[in-house]
């Protein structure tokens, strides 16, 4: 992979000025396919991949926050008095579990690389890739949750309107 020169310079400048680089800015506006970390050196590639992972983690955190905001609204509207968890607790527990699972998955996937300099590349690359997938998954969950609404009788209508907007009169409103 090869990192764009501007992103590397921004990372180096921020690091040398004792300022923390903002990962969400380093790759702003770039698609994953555009994030290319070059073959300059293992150290440069490693810094690029770590920055990419942090970028994806910052975007994932934004997705989690959007999901939690919606979850808080739903917990307020539809409390689960007889259940140990509601929306917020479910999101929080799932995300903590996913983070642990991601790191275990990447440890397993890069096990052959332990002790070698290639692990500096393979481990953050694995984490960034899985984090990107998780972000997309959580964004889809939020879309599905937001597609649910109550009809005039107060009944929850799942994603019927998303799947078939002409199926019900209230979908067209």
């Amino acid at each position: 992979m090869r990192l764009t020169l501007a992103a590397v310079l921004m990372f180096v400048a921020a690091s040398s000025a004792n300022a923390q680089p903002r990962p969400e800015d380093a790759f702003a506006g770039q698609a994953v396919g555009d994030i290319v970390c070059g073959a300059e050196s293992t150290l440069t590639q490693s810094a690029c991949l770590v920055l990419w992972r942090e970028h994806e983690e910052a975007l994932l955190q934004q997705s989690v926050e959007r999901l939690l905001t919606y979850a808080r609204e739903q917990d307020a509207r539809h409390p689960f008095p007889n259940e140990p968890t509601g929306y917020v607790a479910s999101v929080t527990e799932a995300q903590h579990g996913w983070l642990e699972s991601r790191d275990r998955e990447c440890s397993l996937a890069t096990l052959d690389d332990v002790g070698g300099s290639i692990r500096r590349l393979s481990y953050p690359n694995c984490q960034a890739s899985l984090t990107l997938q998780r972000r997309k998954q959580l964004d889809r969950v939020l879309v599905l949750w937001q597609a649910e609404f109550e009809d005039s009788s107060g009944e929850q209508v799942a994603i019927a309107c998303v799947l078939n907007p002409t199926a019900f009169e209230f979908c067209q409103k």
Side-chain angles (χ1 to χ4, degrees), residues 68-80 86-88:
L68 283 171
T69 297
Y70 187 81
R72 285 182 199 98
E73 293 169 7
Q74 294 310 303
D75 277 347
R77 284 181 60 200
H78 307 288
F80 293 91
Y87 283 88
V88 171

Side-chain angles (χ1 to χ4, degrees), residues 28-45:
Q30 295 186 48
V32 173
D34 297 335
I35 299 172
V36 184
C37 296
E40 293 84 18
S41 71
T42 302
L43 186 59
T44 304
Q45 289 175 345

Side-chain angles (χ1 to χ4, degrees), residues 30-108:
Q30 295 186 48
V32 173
D34 297 335
I35 299 172
V36 184
C37 296
E40 293 84 18
S41 71
T42 302
L43 186 59
T44 304
Q45 289 175 345
S46 176
C48 174
L49 290 167
V50 166
L51 196 57
W52 178 38
R53 181 197 62 216
E54 290 174 355
H55 167 73
E56 290 300 334
E57 287 174 343
L59 293 177
L60 175 63
Q61 187 58 37
Q62 291 172 6
S63 292
V64 169
E65 289 302 320
R66 284 191 298 271
L67 197 59
L68 283 171
T69 297
Y70 187 81
R72 285 182 199 98
E73 293 169 7
Q74 294 310 303
D75 277 347
R77 284 181 60 200
H78 307 288
F80 293 91
N82 298 326
E83 296 292 326
T85 61
Y87 283 88
V88 171
S90 294
V91 169
T92 304
E93 289 172 22
Q95 190 58 18
H96 285 231
W98 177 82
L99 284 168
E100 292 173 4
S101 176
R102 177 201 65 179
D103 292 345
R104 284 193 306 269
E105 179 71 25
C106 289
S107 290
L108 176 62

